Amino acid sequence: MKRLNLMAIIALLTLLTAASVQAGVFKGKARLQCSTNDYSSLQYQMTSNASYQLLMADDFCIPDICIYNYRLAMPSTVQVCNSGDFICCIRIIPADLFCPPSAPIRAKVICKPF
Amino acid sequence: MGKKIIIQVIVALFVILWVYTGYNKLVEYEEFRITLGRSPFIQPLAGFIAVVLPTGELLLALLLVIPKTRLLGLYLSFVTMTLFTGYIWLMLQYASDLPCSCGGVLEMMDWDDHLLFNAAFTVAALVAIVLSIMRKRKLSIT
């Protein structure tokens, strides 16, 4: 019983710590996420002084063949933004057409503190 | 007494590891699924693994928390860490694009560090299993 309690407490503390970090309690940073299909009109403002990593996620034309488009698009779409910067959710037009025309890559942008 | 403490420390480390990584993968499910989708070896199973893996990690933590299922939890942790280590080794050998889907701060490690980290945990699980079995035998004799 004693051992169960010790491990359970460790598990609970870990869970609380992970949740706190996730919620930005320790980092003091905001998590921004675009969750709409209207990728061209959205803008978000960074809320803290921390640096952010802009991750582009192809959420539409996945996975297989379009992974190449995703990979090719990465260098041009990954950037670092700072407090006060505005980040737009963007629509990526594939540089090469591995994707069928009916399935254009739609990029979902997640601003993630790092 | 020494063996007991070593086992407990290893079990505690695994509880922390599984709860932390499992929770992070579930909370960042979408990002995790997309990252798995970029991985050349598990791409077709990305959706399935994205759900099963974090759930399994939390279940492993639960098995380790309950004393009666602790040894089973250690066996399964050893198998899981061996698979993870093998996967990272394969990625390092054969994949040109290395997307990390590790969860939480573990993403900050580079792939070589990650391989060492996983190998260390695999060995730790094995040590805990051997010590647990030795302890059980000793207790059953006395």
Side-chain angles (χ1 to χ4, degrees), chain B residues 65-85:
Chain B
V65 163
I66 302 166
K68 277 189 177 176
T69 56
R70 188 160 294 158
L71 189 56
L72 174 66
L74 281 172
Y75 276 120
L76 293 176
S77 295
F78 173 71
V79 171
T80 310
M81 287 311 291
T82 305
L83 288 174
F84 284 174
T85 309

Side-chain angles (χ1 to χ4, degrees), chain A residues 66-101:
Chain A
C66 295
I67 211 81
Y68 294 106
N69 283 322
Y70 176 64
R71 207 181 294 162
L72 284 173
M74 282 297 280
S76 59
T77 54
V78 174
Q79 55 185 278
V80 174
C81 38
N82 296 303
S83 175
D85 286 351
F86 281 97
I87 300 300
C88 298
C89 291
I90 47 171
R91 182 190 168 110
I92 304 291
I93 298 165
D96 48 358
L97 294 175
F98 284 112
C99 290

Side-chain angles (χ1 to χ4, degrees), chain B residues 22-138:
Chain B
Y23 173 82
N24 272 296
K25 283 168 186 160
L26 279 180
V27 169
E28 297 185 0
Y29 167 76
E30 200 171 354
E31 199 179 312
F32 178 53
R33 182 180 61 81
I34 290 164
T35 312
L36 282 178
R38 289 174 57 209
S39 177
F41 302 118
I42 49 181
Q43 205 178 78
L45 296 169
F48 174 73
I49 294 173
V51 175
V52 169
L53 188 58
T55 312
E57 286 176 343
L58 292 176
L59 283 175
L60 278 177
L62 189 65
L63 287 176
L64 291 168
V65 163
I66 302 166
K68 277 189 177 176
T69 56
R70 188 160 294 158
L71 189 56
L72 174 66
L74 281 172
Y75 276 120
L76 293 176
S77 295
F78 173 71
V79 171
T80 310
M81 287 311 291
T82 305
L83 288 174
F84 284 174
T85 309
Y87 167 72
I88 292 176
W89 184 81
L90 270 176
M91 290 287 282
L92 282 169
Q93 296 300 312
Y94 301 110
S96 55
D97 187 25
L98 300 173
C100 183
S101 48
C102 331
V105 292
L106 298 184
E107 283 180 14
M108 291 174 188
M109 282 193 281
D110 68 32
W111 280 83
D112 289 320
D113 291 343
H114 213 115
L115 185 67
L116 279 175
F117 178 88
N118 280 19
F121 264 88
T122 309
V123 172
L126 191 63
V127 168
I129 289 168
V130 171
L131 291 180
S132 297
I133 293 169
M134 283 168 68
R135 220 171 148 254
K136 258 191 173 179
R137 278 186 190 163
K138 197 178 173 186

